[in-house]
């Protein structure tokens, strides 16, 4: 009993020190997501009503989509993202649960003493007198109490892990929407060029028809032009297909309801990248901010705290403190006792070794993640500066030269050096240069999104997957774990 | 016409082939000495022919005559082969190779029996030689690189020396890397007047070199590698409207000395308004009995033809190669045939992609030059439109190897007299009265033929058939005789 009192007190004190956030950690999440979102994070149903959210989504959808509005809509509309917040709430509930002192164990015992009770005429027991025998015991797992600070630590680490995980998922969803937005914009622009290309081949085919009708070319030449036009028509269909798919993927990434899916507006062009050079890669800040590392760190802390417990448990096994009040023959008897497991067969070395190895495993994985993050950041940095350089060359050299070539071809046409078919072919070539430019700009923005996602704390794996999927035009929705 | 023996006597080379062979042999080793001796020692030698006295100087339209000085009875000329920026016509310049700052080189003019010494300085980047085409001289002076002499290296000056033993129209041109150097312009005319006149003296003589070039519109250098697609066709290295008119006074005896050093083409050279006689080739004078009236003279490449006429028919007379592609300029030949194609639909369709597009060639090429000169259709910098220039009455739809023979009454200056205003009237729009008078209906495609009988007896009651009946009548009349 002397031991029990102070333990209980310190436990209560500790429990009071660790305050479980009232808002389930949302304000902390909002703070952590602020650098990666253009608008403050909202929790529909908590910080904002469903109605308000709906109005804001409608307002945002009434204008052509931008990178900012895409992120905002995602935060407001995406159900999976909302689910993440409920996950956080659940984690905070778990935290609250884990940070309470363990309840003592109460046992009550009743003793039916002979001659005290009787049966009635129906065979039921009848009480002739109040029960005179029995005991009430209170038991406490002493180790629970002894190691309560550690339990508390583990719970806090668990909650932190959940929090960082949620923040990272915010980053993930915003990132995926951003990629989907770039893809859809690019598909839209390419569709425009594909339409022009098709028009150019159609004009060629119609010219060939006119020439054929005038008796100037044989059927063979006409069919060649028609064949080409038909091939371009097929390409146009592919472009349409890509556009419709990328639009639907954007809707999916935004998390729009089917009623709102049709109202997205894609207009204008992908922005021209800044002329300014890329800032050097902030390696330290990438490491410091990475949510995955933070998440892992929290998990390691929780594991370490638990391991401390487990180590002791492995040796001590079970330890119990008991107090009992017993009434016997109208007399109250008090008794107390300690029970513990006797480690004579299992000294717990195996358990401890396993614990050590698991910790070591986590530590190695953590370090491995750091290296992987470092490499991914450097890859994305190089990719981004390469993509930027590519856009600059395309924009400053390739596009103007291609325009000059087309102008020259027009002059050559005027000077009767080439015919209308060659001129239209030159136009198509210029359009394909335009398509290559759009691809380069799309590449740049998606790489930049991946890079910025990583800088804001995103998962290197997801960033690299988004990057890798880029050329396949299949990044939206990819990288889910 | 002097025979071979006479010409050799004239030159003071002694009689007979043996003597010629000896002189030639001597020339090989000490050519300069041997020839000086032959002039000064021989009683048959002549004083150098004086322009105006011994001959009427030839006019080289757009060109000049090479000046000379007389040193010890020898006419001394100096040709410098060099790169020259040459204008083919306003709007088209190119870096060619020429002599003494001109393309082609100046005309060398001499009199039969003249002893000449020609210094040739090479300021080109390549070795060169000069061959005196058609000139009878000793083998060592013939100028074929490698065969008759070493090539003249850049920076070197060679000396050639011979006595003209014949009169006539000849040429000079590079005979080293001929394909390149002639395509670049290294050529010129040689006119040798007779010492003893066997033909009536001409009042006006024109030296004309026909040539072909390949210059891509927008380029500034002839392409010697081209074998068949020559697109700049020239008279004295000028393409119409760059060619200067040939001016004569009515009644003058006019001689055209036409040479052809085109890479791959012969030119049927045609003069309007006249029948002329071909009086000489570069092989010599054609016997009078062998001459026949012509309106077109075929000038094969590597030869000269001298034609003569008395300018009795005043007016502006087209003079041109009759190959229709030789009176075009830089048009391409691999273009679709647009004749008869309705351009309206195509114009709409293509201008939506290419705003400067205009369907061309659907009614021929005649309008090309007008479109380009008016400035609403731009062609590459430094290029000539497909055809022609503005004439006094309409657009002249010929370019290239085209010039105008201008014959005027009583002129004393041979500067361009301007356009001819024909006092006898010109073709014009038929009046309604005329159409009615002659029973010509524009709606009737062709006039119905009448039988012989009605042609004879028809008279004026059915004047619609007077044309055909007239010719029928004539024919019948001829038959009757
Ligand atoms: Cu010709």
């Amino acid at each position: 009993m002397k031991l029990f009192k102070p333990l209980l007190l310190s436990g209560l004190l500790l429990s009071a020190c660790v305050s479980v956030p009232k808002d389930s950690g949302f304000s902390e999440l909002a703070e952590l997501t602020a650098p990666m979102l253009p608008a403050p994070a909202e929790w529909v149903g908590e910080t904002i009503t469903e109605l308000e959210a709906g109005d804001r989504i409608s307002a945002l959808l009434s204008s052509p989509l931008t990178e900012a509005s895409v992120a905002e809509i995602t935060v407001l509309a995406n159900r999976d993202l909302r689910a993440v917040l409920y996950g956080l709430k659940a984690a905070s509930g778990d935290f609250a649960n884990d940070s309470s002192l363990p309840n003592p164990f109460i046992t009550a015992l009743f003793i039916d003493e002979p001659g005290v009770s009787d049966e009635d005429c129906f065979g039921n027991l009848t009480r002739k007198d109040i029960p005179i025998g029995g005991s009430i015991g209170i038991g406490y797992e002493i180790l629970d109490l002894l190691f309560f600070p550690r339990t508390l630590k583990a719970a806090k680490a668990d909650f932190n892990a959940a929090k960082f995980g949620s923040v990272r998922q915010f980053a993930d969803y915003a990132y995926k929407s951003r990629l989907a937005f770039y893809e859809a914009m690019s598909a839209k622009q390419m569709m425009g060029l594909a339409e022009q290309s098709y028009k150019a081949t159609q004009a060629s085919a119609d010219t060939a028809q006119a020439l054929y009708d005038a008796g100037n070319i044989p059927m063979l030449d006409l069919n060649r032009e028609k064949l080409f036009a038909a091939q371009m028509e097929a390409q146009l269909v592919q472009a349409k297909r890509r556009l419709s798919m990328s639009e639907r993927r954007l809707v999916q990434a935004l998390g729009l309801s089917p009623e709102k899916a049709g109202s997205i507006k894609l207009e204008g062009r992908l922005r021209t990248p800044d002329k300014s050079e890329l800032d050097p890669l902030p390696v330290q800040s990438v490491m410091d901010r990475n949510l995955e590392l933070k998440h892992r760190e929290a998990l390691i802390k929780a594991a370490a705290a638990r391991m401390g417990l487990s180590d002791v448990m492995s040796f001590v096994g079970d330890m119990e403190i008991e107090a009992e009040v017993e009434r016997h023959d109208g007399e109250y008897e008090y008794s107390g006792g300690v029970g513990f497991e006797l480690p004579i067969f299992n000294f717990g070395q195996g358990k401890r070794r396993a614990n050590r190895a698991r910790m070591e495993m986590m530590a190695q994985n953590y370090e491995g993640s750091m290296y992987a993050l470092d490499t991914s950041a450097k890859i994305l940095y190089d990719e981004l500066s390469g993509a930027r350089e590519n856009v600059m060359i395309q924009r400053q050299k390739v596009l103007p030269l291609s325009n000059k070539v087309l102008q020259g071809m027009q002059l050559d046409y005027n000077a009767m050096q080439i015919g209308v078919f060659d001129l239209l072919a030159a136009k198509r070539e210029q359009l394909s240069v335009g398509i290559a430019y759009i691809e380069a700009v799309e590449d740049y923005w998606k790489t930049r999104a991946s890079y910025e996602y990583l800088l804001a704390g995103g998962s290197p794996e997801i960033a690299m997957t988004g990057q890798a999927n880029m050329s396949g035009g299949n990044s939206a929705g990819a990288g889910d774990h | 016409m002097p025979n071979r023996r006479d010409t050799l006597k004239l030159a003071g080379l002694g009689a007979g082939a043996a003597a010629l062979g000896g002189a030639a042999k001597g020339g090989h080793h000490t050519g300069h000495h041997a020839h000086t001796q032959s002039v000064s020692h021989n009683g048959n030698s002549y004083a150098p022919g004086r322009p105006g006295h011994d001959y009427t100087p030839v006019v080289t339209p757009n060109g000049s005559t090479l000046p000379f000085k007389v040193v010890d009875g020898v006419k001394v000329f100096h040709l410098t082969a060099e790169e020259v920026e040459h204008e083919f016509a306003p709007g088209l310049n190119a870096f060619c190779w020429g002599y003494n700052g001109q393309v082609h080189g100046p005309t060398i003019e001499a009199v039969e029996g003249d002893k000449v010494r020609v210094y040739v300085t090479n300021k080109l980047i390549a070795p060169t030689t000069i061959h005196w085409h058609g000139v009878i001289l000793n083998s060592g002076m013939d100028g074929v690189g490698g065969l008759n002499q070493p090539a003249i290296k850049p920076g070197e000056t060679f000396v050639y020396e011979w006595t003209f033993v014949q009169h006539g129209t000849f040429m000079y041109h590079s005979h080293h890397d001929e394909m390149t150097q002639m395509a670049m312009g290294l050529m010129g005319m040689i006119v040798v007047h007779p010492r003893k006149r066997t033909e009536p003296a001409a009042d006006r003589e024109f030296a004309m070199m026909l040539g072909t070039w390949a210059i891509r519109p927008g380029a500034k250098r002839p392409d010697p590698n081209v074998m068949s697609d020559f697109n700049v066709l020239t008279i004295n290295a000028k393409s119409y409207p760059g060619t200067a008119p040939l001016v004569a006074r009515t009644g003058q005896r006019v001689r055209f000395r036409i040479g052809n050093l085109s890479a791959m083409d012969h030119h049927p050279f045609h003069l309007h308004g006249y029948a002329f006689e071909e009086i000489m080739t570069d092989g010599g004078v054609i016997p009078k009995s062998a001459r026949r009236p012509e309106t077109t003279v075929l000038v094969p490449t590597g030869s000269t033809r001298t034609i003569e006429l008395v300018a009795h028919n005043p007016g502006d007379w087209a003079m041109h190669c009759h190959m229709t592609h030789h009176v075009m300029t830089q048009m391409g030949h691999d273009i679709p045939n647009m004749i008869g194609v309705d351009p309206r639909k195509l114009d709409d369709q293509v201008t939506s992609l290419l705003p400067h597009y205009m369907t061309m060639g659907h009614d021929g090429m005649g309008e090309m030059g007008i479109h380009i000169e008016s400035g609403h259709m731009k062609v590459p910098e430094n290029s000539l439109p497909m055809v022609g220039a503005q004439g006094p009455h309409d657009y002249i739809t010929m370019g290239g190897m085209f010039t105008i023979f201008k014959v005027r009454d009583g002129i004393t200056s041979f500067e361009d007299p301007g356009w001819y205003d024909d006092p006898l009237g010109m073709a014009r729009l038929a009046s309604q009265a005329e159409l009615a008078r002659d029973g010509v209906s524009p709606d009737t495609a062709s006039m119905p033929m009448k039988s012989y009988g009605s042609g004879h007896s028809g008279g004026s009651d059915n004047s619609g058939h007077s044309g055909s009946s007239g010719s029928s009548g004539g024919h019948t009349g001829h038959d009757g005789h």
Side-chain angles (χ1 to χ4, degrees), chain B residues 8 12 96 131 152 155 166 211 243 269 288 294 297 307 346 353 379 382 402:
Chain B
L8 294 177
C96 303
H131 163 60
I152 310 167
Q166 76 222 95
T243 50
F269 213 65
K288 281 211 166 77
E294 290 283 8
V297 57
I307 61 172
L346 300 181
L353 296 162
V379 291
N382 196 49
F402 177 92

Side-chain angles (χ1 to χ4, degrees), chain B residues 57-121:
Chain B
V58 71
V59 173
T60 307
N62 301 106
S64 68
T65 303
L66 184 62
F68 64 87
K69 57 186 173 185
V70 178
V71 178
D72 296 335
V74 179
K75 282 186 176 173
V76 177
F77 297 89
H78 185 195
L79 285 172
T80 300
E82 59 195 348
E83 180 159 304
V84 179
E85 187 177 351
H86 172 69
E87 186 191 75
F88 287 91
L92 179 62
N93 280 40
F95 299 109
C96 303
W97 290 354
Y99 297 102
N100 299 19
Q102 299 177 34
V103 179
H104 304 298
T107 301
I108 294 175
E109 197 169 21
V111 178
E112 201 178 358
D114 277 351
K115 184 177 174 59
V116 298
R117 195 177 295 142
V118 186
Y119 288 92
V120 177
T121 299

